[in-house]
């Protein structure tokens, strides 16, 4: 079948706050081929991504992403790989293209799965899937007291793992950071796994990061996430060497499989964190999962938005039995919960399961989504090259 | 002084052809602080980059690039570094931001140099500059006969170094590639340095690339550029090991200093090629030049557009005496020649010199530039957030 159209929809909360919460807006992708429709999501700046979809060609290696997708044949999984390669070659010099491709690749898998009546993980060659242990992913409170309250709530809600990140952590005094980590541990109790996300706050400064290792060890922290920017391999390696039991986690900034593989090969990570909505979709994310598995590094999804994105991010490692832990947005904005009718809920044991239904197994709630639509229009030389399309199934 | 405004102008040839020629459009950046103006250029998809400049905030680490620049103090070189760090932190999750920052960083250096009445290289701490030997950078002909003709013209025009790339090279039979390389060598004569640019055509396929090593060696090719995509470190290392005298060159795809440093550290390169219009500007490009110098890797600019971009790309290695060779666009489209009044021309010996005048030393020809302006408008929620500003000095 031939791909007829690729449409993007910019959804947003009415007010976007200047906080680390990435669930405040969302870029939905709809791909149509004949009677079949697939849905995806880019974890990306919506307007910038839309622009890269339709931007006039600059030269043969800087083409709008849409040109490498619409009109292509989509009959089996190799076509999805082929289309990804085409986008990467034809948009080699268009930096945003990897984020743009991400949602398209996800939608292509959803579409093909729906058509073949198979869940995406099965199309990926996974014969058996394993339950994942969700960790409650949330921001630090503004004060240690607030972090303590949040941690207690998380524990009361039955999570056996939790992550705190961003907010004030790393921005000020060591003592404040120590208080926050101790508050998180106190609130969660001794049994719940605790992860800390520094949000690249120390750039590449190993010494500033090292000052936090003592409290992380004392509070039995499983991983320290993104103490540094993605490229600071040497800083990661050095800190990993000093950190004892506390492992390093990173990778959400990877926008292609190479970058994630380099982190695995050169940065001394214990955990590689991949957002299918950024790395170019489910296809490269699956390559990274294989490489991580072969390298003894644990694969974890990065997901902070909708359950459509969650389903997409679970597919690449659904078959990896021992890579059990998974990121689970615990307090997303209404938008990212509302866009799907169904949700990936925890079972009685507190575990979640990758959907068994065809494609990504998620049913969009378009009526709800329409309430969040941000009408957008781009005009070049007096001609409208993008106008928010009608949001239909 | 306080930065009052950052404006971007999308310029283009009337018709953009589906060829590797990156000089067919251009994104001009104007930064104003009080009475002072600086100019820069992004080597990037114009519409996508403009969108990233003004896109509504998604969350605290995905802000429009402009928000981290306008209103900032610009008094000395450390301010330019600080603003770059601010953009990278505030737009961490906005992939296009590095390309966007590139032209802004260049304009900030130009502005500061103009105000302090010093050339940018002096502000960078370079006490003495050295002439550069320009290589004529051009596309392969459609046929070996056409390549032969182009090479003869290049030789007749007095160039002592030339590079051929893209076009049919690597896309078909080995025999065709052999004919093209031999035609280039024949047309240039035995004395002219010859470089070959494969434009990432073999992705990471070492065996296909290796088939070309024999003719490259026989034709005394100085470097083979981008046989593989930027991330394929292992493929680069392996090919470098097999290539004997022919060195590997890469790096133009780097959009931050880390990536270029990784290529230097892990990919076995002989030459690192940096486009200041992509890597985040003159600041990170200069960091890469230092790292390359310390690592025994030769730094070369990547430039395929205007002489404003050429001046910007020369600054980071103007003081490196032995890194003599430089890319010089030999047949750019009229647009990229027309946008400046003055040009960096070859002297009687065939060498070029980084401008001695303040800033980047280039005088914009705004009247000519206006002929290429592409009127662009972006509307979000019924409000115009970008409309091509008036192009004034």
């Amino acid at each position: 079948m031939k791909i007829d159209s690729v449409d993007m929809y910019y959804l947003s909360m009415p007010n976007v706050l200047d906080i680390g919460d990435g669930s405040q807006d969302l870029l939905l992708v709809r791909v149509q081929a004949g009677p079949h429709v697939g849905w995806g999501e880019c974890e990306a700046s919506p307007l910038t991504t839309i622009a890269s979809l339709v931007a006039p060609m600059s030269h043969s290696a800087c083409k709008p992403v849409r040109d490498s997708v619409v009109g292509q044949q989509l009959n089996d999984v190799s076509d999805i790989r082929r289309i990804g390669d085409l986008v990467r070659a034809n948009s080699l010099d268009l930096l945003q293209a990897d984020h743009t491709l991400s949602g398209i690749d996800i939608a292509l898998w959803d579409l093909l799965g729906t058509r073949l009546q198979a869940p995406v993980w099965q199309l990926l060659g996974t014969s058996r899937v394993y339950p994942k242990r969700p960790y409650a992913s949330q921001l630090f409170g503004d004060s240690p007291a607030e972090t303590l309250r949040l941690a207690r709530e998380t524990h009361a809600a039955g999570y056996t793992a939790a992550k705190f990140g961003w907010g004030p952590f790393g921005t000020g005094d060591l003592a404040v950071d120590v208080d926050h980590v101790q508050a998180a541990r106190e609130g969660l109790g001794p049994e719940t796994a605790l992860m800390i996300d520094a949000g690249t706050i120390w750039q590449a400064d190993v010494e500033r990061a090292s000052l936090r290792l003592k409290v992380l060890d004392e509070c039995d922290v499983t991983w320290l996430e993104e103490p540094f920017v993605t490229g600071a391999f040497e800083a990661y390696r050095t800190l990993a060497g000093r950190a004892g039991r506390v492992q390093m986690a990173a990778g959400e900034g990877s926008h292609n499989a190479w970058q994630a593989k380099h982190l695995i090969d050169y940065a001394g990570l214990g955990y590689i964190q991949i957002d299918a909505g950024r790395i170019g979709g489910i296809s490269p994310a699956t390559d990274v999962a294989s490489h991580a598995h072969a390298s003894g590094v644990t694969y974890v999804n990065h997901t902070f938005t909708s359950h459509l994105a969650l389903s997409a991010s679970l597919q690449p490692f659904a078959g990896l039995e021992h890579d059990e832990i998974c990121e689970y947005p615990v307090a997303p904005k209404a938008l990212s919960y509302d866009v799907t009718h169904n949700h990936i809920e925890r079972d009685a044991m507190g575990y979640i399961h990758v959907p068994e239904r065809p494609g990504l197994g998620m049913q969009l709630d378009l009526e709800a989504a329409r309430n969040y639509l941000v009408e957008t229009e781009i005009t070049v030389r007096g001609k409208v090259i993008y106008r928010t399309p009608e949001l239909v199934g």
Side-chain angles (χ1 to χ4, degrees), chain A:
Chain A
M1 57 186 168
K2 193 167 69 71
I3 297 173
D4 296 313
S5 61
V6 177
D7 287 309
M8 290 195 169
Y9 304 89
Y10 176 3
L11 310 180
S12 178
M13 297 295 291
N15 294 306
V16 171
L17 308 175
D18 191 0
I19 56 173
D21 181 354
S23 73
Q24 303 182 81
D25 67 8
L26 187 154
L27 185 63
L28 210 53
V29 183
R30 178 185 187 276
V31 175
Q32 174 144 17
H36 305 285
V37 170
W39 293 94
E41 194 178 322
C42 304
E43 174 55 19
S45 163
L47 178 67
T48 311
T49 307
I50 287 169
S52 74
L53 184 73
V54 300
M57 173 170 71
S58 291
H59 55 83
S60 61
C62 193
K63 290 178 181 163
V65 174
R66 186 149 66 186
D67 285 13
S68 304
V69 184
V70 173
Q72 294 296 317
Q73 283 293 321
L74 175 62
N75 297 309
D76 56 41
V77 298
S78 71
D79 286 320
I80 303 181
R81 293 282 179 172
R82 185 179 52 76
I83 292 168
D85 287 343
L86 208 56
V87 169
R88 279 181 287 268
N90 290 342
S91 301
L92 180 69
D93 291 342
L94 204 176
L95 188 49
Q96 189 72 14
D98 288 329
H99 278 190
T100 313
L101 171 60
S102 299
I104 295 173
D105 177 278
I106 291 169
L108 291 174
W109 283 106
D110 187 44
L111 196 161
L112 195 65
T114 306
R115 187 191 166 209
L116 301 176
Q117 287 295 298
V120 169
W121 51 263
Q122 206 170 82
L123 299 184
L124 288 169
T126 305
S127 51
R128 183 175 169 188
V129 293
Y130 297 89
K132 299 290 174 197
R133 181 178 167 209
Y135 69 82
S137 184
Q138 57 200 306
L139 306 179
F140 275 111
D142 289 336
S143 64
E146 175 74 2
T147 295
L148 177 64
R149 186 183 66 75
L150 290 167
R152 283 186 174 142
E153 284 177 15
T154 302
H155 184 248
Y159 287 96
T160 62
K163 186 176 84 183
F164 288 86
W166 296 77
F169 190 75
T171 59
D173 284 353
L174 171 62
V176 176
D177 289 1
V178 168
D179 287 350
H180 272 284
V181 176
Q182 288 175 340
R185 171 49 74 205
E186 187 186 331
L188 292 175
E191 301 300 327
T192 303
L194 169 61
M195 284 77 77
I196 300 294
D197 180 0
T200 78
I201 195 76
W202 299 300
Q203 301 288 314
D205 187 338
V206 178
E207 299 314 320
R208 282 189 65 203
S210 294
L211 294 175
R212 277 77 183 174
L213 289 178
K214 187 162 166 280
V215 69
L216 297 179
D217 182 68
E218 285 169 359
C219 291
D220 194 19
V221 166
T222 304
W223 77 55
L224 174 62
E225 176 172 336
E226 291 210 317
F228 310 121
V229 293
T230 300
F233 296 171
E234 218 174 293
Y236 273 104
R237 264 201 324 269
T238 308
L239 193 65
R242 295 181 186 176
R245 296 181 306 164
V246 181
Q247 306 239 30
M248 298 297 124
E252 65 171 273
S254 307
H255 60 85
N256 60 52
W258 296 109
Q259 295 173 341
K261 288 178 186 176
H262 295 159
L263 275 167
I264 291 169
D265 294 345
Y266 302 116
L269 300 186
Y271 295 85
I272 182 81
Q273 305 170 291
I274 299 301
D275 197 316
R278 286 184 187 156
I279 198 166
I282 292 170
S283 309
T286 303
D287 296 343
V288 174
S290 300
H291 186 68
H293 190 65
S295 309
V297 168
T298 304
Y299 184 99
V300 196
N301 65 306
H302 173 268
T303 308
F304 218 85
T305 56
S306 78
H307 284 214
L308 178 70
L310 180 61
S311 175
S313 277
L314 289 175
Q315 307 292 335
F317 73 126
L320 295 179
E321 181 177 5
H322 300 292
D323 298 12
E324 187 189 70
I325 213 161
C326 82
E327 182 165 39
Y328 189 77
V330 66
K333 290 282 178 283
L335 157 63
S336 67
Y337 195 82
D338 289 354
V339 292
T340 54
H341 277 297
N342 58 332
H343 296 91
I344 299 173
E345 304 288 5
R346 290 177 294 152
D347 66 16
M349 304 290 290
Y351 281 75
I352 65 167
H353 303 266
V354 64
E356 297 275 346
R357 274 171 294 185
L360 295 174
M362 303 309 295
Q363 197 193 341
L364 273 286
D365 185 345
L366 299 180
E367 205 178 310
R370 276 186 211 108
N371 296 324
Y372 297 99
L373 256 184
V374 177
E375 294 293 335
T376 304
E377 190 174 291
I378 302 175
T379 305
V380 171
R381 290 191 175 110
K383 195 180 147 202
V384 176
I385 62 167
Y386 176 87
R387 181 180 288 146
T388 303
E390 202 187 341
L391 184 46
V392 291

